[in-house]
């Protein structure tokens, strides 16, 4: 662990490391398909005996009494958890700079963000500290940091990986997924963590869809991409052609509406899910409070960061009585329309290729990408969450020294179709290694 800790000093992807004794004991006992494989866990997913901060002051001192189902399954398969990674507070953001606890730097360029919200997980993988990491994806939080860090990031079909032990942000949208530098590792980890779980009533059995793919749909017209992403998109399309895929052009006009629908639904669900942090049962409790109401108000005021407060306020606003039809119900109708649009594309194509984000990794504090612009930039990723479909960000090129990834999206249960296409594409456009990658180490 010494080398990982040293290597992480400049990147800061970890919020907590497992103790050397725990890692040594788990490694010695490891047996199973992932025996001895090290992994990191985004700090909104529970690992027994470790902190579960969600990047928030409100849970800064909370230690999880149990393992999330995905973590439990990985441990049973012999994988060894080495630590918890940084994230945007409660998964709300696209840079990891919304973490209240640490600033994580992109291992490709330390002045830049690693993406978010699973930024610590993506940075740790890109820097070679772990072969894979768990993340969560509510609106792009696995795929976008994977793109910024030049690694693979899978958002599985909704419900296929149990959410038990994942701290809820927007329950109808989020999934637990995988970040890795190899498609094969993503596949083998997915095989281990998927499946119905009695502890999560929304979880479902994975019934694999046809893995074959011939036709890939790409987006026509001006997508509003920065030149580096435009160039990478073109390379990916050409790469798919070279790999033998037939390309068709489609338009997805609902993508522009999807973003408003996503934020309406996500904030509404967040306002309900985050009501539990009231300073009473667990989490931060204000020392200055007088009386119950004051305790709730002060604990929440002191514990939550600005972005979280904004979302709770907006979520409460859209759900207030008499206005649900105007906002929440309307957003759900748009959600259905987005799904219908993708369903009709999948009648003509087996996969859809889309950018993960309109820019490459931006600098910390870049004012041209303020919180509002970052939300608009989720346009391409939220579709997979609104529809429940799987999507994986695939590293396709390096532009001006920064990696750019593209997403392959498929109908529900067609993860294997994505893996195979990603492998074919890697044959034509092999992923570049991060220059700041640490040597393989056995510490
Ligand atoms: N950027 C999106 C948001 O801020 C996605 C976050 C996520 O997937 N957790 O909500």
């Amino acid at each position: 662990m010494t080398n990982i800790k040293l290597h992480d000093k400049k990147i800061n992807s970890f919020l907590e490391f497992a103790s050397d004794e725990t890692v040594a004991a788990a490694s010695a006992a490891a047996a199973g398909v992932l025996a001895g494989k090290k992994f990191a866990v985004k700090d909104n997913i529970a690992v027994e005996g470790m902190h579960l901060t969600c990047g928030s002051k409100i849970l800064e001192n909370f230690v999880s009494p149990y393992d999330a189902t995905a973590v439990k399954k990985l441990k049973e398969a012999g994988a060894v958890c080495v630590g918890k990674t940084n994230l945007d507070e409660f998964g709300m953001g696209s840079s990891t700079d919304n973490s209240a606890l640490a600033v994580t730097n992109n291992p490709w360029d330390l002045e830049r963000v690693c993406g978010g919200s699973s930024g610590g997980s993506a940075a740790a993988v890109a820097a070679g500290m772990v072969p894979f990491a768990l993340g969560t994806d509510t609106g792009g939080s696995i795929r976008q940091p994977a793109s910024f860090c030049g690694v693979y990031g899978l958002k599985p079909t909704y419900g296929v990986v149990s959410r038990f032990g994942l701290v809820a942000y927007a329950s109808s949208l989020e999934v637990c997924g995988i970040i890795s530098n190899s498609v094969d590792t993503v596949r083998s980890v997915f095989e281990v963590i998927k499946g119905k779980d009695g502890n999560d009533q929304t979880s479902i059995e994975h019934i694999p869809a046809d893995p074959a793919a011939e036709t890939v749909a790409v987006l026509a017209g001006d997508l509003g991409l920065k030149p580096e992403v435009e160039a990478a998109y073109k390379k990916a399309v050409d790469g798919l052609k070279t790999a033998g895929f037939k390309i068709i052009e489609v338009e997805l006009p609902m993508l522009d509406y999807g973003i408003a629908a996503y934020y309406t639904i996500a904030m509404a669900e967040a306002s309900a899910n985050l009501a539990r942090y009231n300073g009473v049962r667990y989490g931060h409790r204000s020392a200055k409070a007088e009386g119950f109401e004051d305790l709730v108000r002060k604990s929440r005021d002191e514990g939550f960061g600005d972005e979280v407060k904004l979302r709770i306020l907006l979520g409460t606003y859209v759900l207030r009585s008499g206005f649900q039809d105007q906002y929440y119900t309307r957003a759900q109708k748009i959600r259905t329309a987005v799904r219908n649009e993708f369903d009709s594309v999948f009648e003509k194509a087996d996969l859809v290729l889309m950018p993960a984000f309109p820019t490459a990794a931006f600098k910390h504090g870049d004012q041209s990408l303020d919180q509002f612009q970052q939300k608009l930039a989720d346009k391409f990723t939220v579709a997979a969450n609104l529809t429940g479909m799987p999507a994986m960000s695939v590293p396709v090129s390096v532009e001006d020294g920064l990696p750019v990834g593209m997403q392959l999206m498929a109908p529900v249960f067609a993860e294997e179709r994505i893996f195979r296409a990603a492998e074919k594409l890697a044959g034509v456009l092999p992923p570049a290694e991060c220059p700041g990658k640490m040597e393989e180490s056995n510490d």
Side-chain angles (χ1 to χ4, degrees):
M1 292 290 287
T2 326
N3 288 340
I4 296 182
K5 284 181 192 162
L6 270 178
H7 199 77
D8 198 42
K9 282 223 147 68
K10 284 194 191 130
I11 300 165
N12 240 340
S13 48
F14 284 88
L15 290 173
E16 183 184 11
F17 288 100
S19 72
D20 289 350
E21 298 76 53
T22 312
V23 172
S27 307
V33 286
L34 298 173
K37 249 197 166 143
K38 292 197 172 91
F39 71 105
V41 179
K42 183 179 183 181
D43 206 14
N44 62 350
I45 302 173
V47 177
E48 188 183 339
M50 298 193 79
H51 285 85
L52 181 58
T53 67
C54 297
S56 181
K57 282 200 192 124
I58 212 152
L59 285 174
E60 195 170 3
N61 299 313
F62 181 74
V63 174
S64 174
Y66 62 83
D67 279 332
T69 299
V71 171
K72 185 165 166 270
K73 287 182 161 189
L74 287 171
K75 286 182 176 174
E76 282 165 6
V80 178
C81 174
V82 298
K84 305 294 299 286
T85 53
N86 198 15
L87 67 157
D88 288 301
E89 189 172 356
F90 286 101
M92 297 178 182
S94 306
S95 64
T96 302
D97 283 358
N98 288 349
S99 169
L101 305 180
V103 177
T104 302
N105 302 318
N106 191 312
W108 288 75
D109 176 348
L110 299 175
E111 286 179 10
R112 291 176 189 269
V113 304
C114 51
S117 64
S118 313
S121 286
V125 170
M129 292 184 268
V130 280
F132 77 92
L134 290 182
T136 61
D137 193 310
T138 315
S141 279
I142 286 178
R143 291 160 286 155
Q144 188 258 15
S147 168
F148 279 17
C149 293
V151 291
Y152 293 93
L154 172 73
K155 174 239 172 260
T157 303
Y158 180 79
V160 155
V161 178
S162 169
R163 284 184 297 113
F164 180 69
L166 190 171
V167 180
Y169 155 23
S171 314
S172 78
L173 298 159
E174 68 206 358
V175 290
C176 176
I178 305 143
I179 297 177
S180 176
N181 50 15
S182 121
V183 180
D184 210 38
T185 304
V186 175
R187 178 191 278 119
S188 46
V189 172
F190 179 61
E191 288 301 317
V192 168
I193 65 174
K194 71 181 192 179
K196 193 170 166 55
D197 175 20
N199 285 325
D200 173 3
Q201 296 306 312
T202 62
S203 68
I204 44 174
E205 219 45 83
H206 188 251
I207 307 152
D210 183 0
E214 281 171 18
T215 311
V216 182
V218 304
L219 301 184
D222 181 4
L223 306 177
L225 307 174
K226 287 279 186 230
E228 68 273 14
V229 182
E230 182 95 50
Y233 195 48
K234 208 175 159 305
K235 283 182 196 167
V237 175
D238 291 343
L240 286 169
K241 275 186 203 157
T242 313
F245 290 96
K246 184 176 161 226
I247 304 292
I248 60 164
E249 283 201 346
V250 295
E251 281 181 20
L252 292 167
M254 285 309 296
L255 283 185
D256 283 327
Y257 301 94
I259 195 75
Y262 165 78
Y263 274 99
T264 304
I265 296 167
M267 291 185 190
E269 293 184 10
S271 72
N273 276 327
L274 273 61
R276 71 193 64 172
Y277 307 104
N278 56 9
V280 177
R281 295 182 66 185
Y282 51 80
H284 174 72
R285 173 178 296 179
S286 175
K288 301 176 202 140
E290 290 164 22
F292 177 68
E293 264 186 37
D294 198 40
L295 173 77
V296 176
R297 196 176 300 120
K298 290 214 170 90
S299 300
R300 287 168 74 80
D301 184 37
E302 290 162 12
F304 287 137
D306 288 345
E307 183 61 27
V308 177
K309 284 178 186 159
L310 173 82
R311 294 189 189 207
I312 292 172
L313 286 170
L314 285 173
T316 313
Y317 178 82
V318 301
L319 286 180
R320 74 200 190 286
S321 75
F323 289 84
Q324 276 120 333
D325 275 356
Q326 209 173 319
Y327 297 105
Y328 193 71
T329 313
R330 209 156 151 207
Q332 294 292 10
K333 285 182 182 154
I334 296 174
R335 184 175 192 172
T336 306
V338 173
R339 198 177 53 234
N340 291 342
E341 194 166 87
F342 274 90
D343 282 345
S344 61
V345 168
F346 284 125
E347 281 169 16
K348 301 178 280 197
D350 305 306
L351 293 161
V352 174
L353 178 81
M354 285 198 289
F357 204 74
T359 75
F362 48 90
K363 290 203 167 153
H364 290 292
D366 181 346
Q367 287 311 312
S368 65
L369 267 163
D370 59 19
Q371 295 284 354
F372 185 68
Q373 293 302 328
Q374 285 180 38
K375 291 186 177 77
L376 294 181
D378 287 340
K379 167 176 167 180
F380 302 109
T381 45
V382 297
N385 305 82
L386 290 168
T387 60
M389 294 172 184
M392 184 162 83
S393 178
V394 174
V396 296
S397 88
V398 177
E399 305 287 332
D400 299 328
L402 295 174
V404 181
M406 294 294 148
Q407 302 177 75
L408 284 168
M409 190 168 156
V412 293
F413 296 140
E415 281 82 358
E416 181 57 31
R417 189 183 301 174
I418 296 178
F419 299 152
R420 291 191 190 178
E423 280 166 342
K424 282 193 185 157
L425 189 59
V428 180
L429 300 171
E433 275 212 350
C434 173
K437 196 171 172 189
M438 82 180 238
E439 295 295 319
E440 282 277 333
S441 99
N442 286 324
D443 67 341

